[in-house]
Amino acid sequence: MITLKQLAELSGYSVRTVQRVLTGQAHVMPEKRERILALAKQHQYVPNMAARSLRLQKKNFVGIVFED
């Protein structure tokens, strides 16, 4: 599995630029966007939700309570 940092290295752009493209933010030139999205698809990039949760300091836990 490829990481965001590895994808940035492959594309030749910064991690921040790659992140902007993958999250759909504006202010990225179309040719950069196309290159990054093509590489992400080629390498089957999937966001790491655990890393994102740590960065955002959010926890996405679901608790289930049941009586036996």
Side-chain angles (χ1 to χ4, degrees), residues 36-56:
I36 292 167
L37 290 175
L39 283 169
K41 185 176 181 178
Q42 177 185 350
H43 292 280
Q44 300 174 342
Y45 173 77
V46 177
N48 184 329
M49 297 310 289
R52 183 177 176 155
S53 293
L54 286 172
R55 192 180 115 260
L56 296 175

Side-chain angles (χ1 to χ4, degrees), residues 10-52:
L10 278 175
S11 69
Y13 299 115
S14 70
V15 172
R16 181 69 179 130
T17 299
V18 173
Q19 183 182 17
R20 280 187 185 127
V21 169
L22 296 176
T23 58
Q25 295 179 15
H27 309 297
V28 179
M29 295 175 68
E31 56 271 6
K32 287 182 183 181
R33 183 177 306 277
E34 289 173 16
R35 177 171 168 75
I36 292 167
L37 290 175
L39 283 169
K41 185 176 181 178
Q42 177 185 350
H43 292 280
Q44 300 174 342
Y45 173 77
V46 177
N48 184 329
M49 297 310 289
R52 183 177 176 155

Side-chain angles (χ1 to χ4, degrees), residues 59-66:
K59 295 172 184 71
N60 296 321
F61 293 107
V62 175
I64 301 173
V65 179
F66 63 93

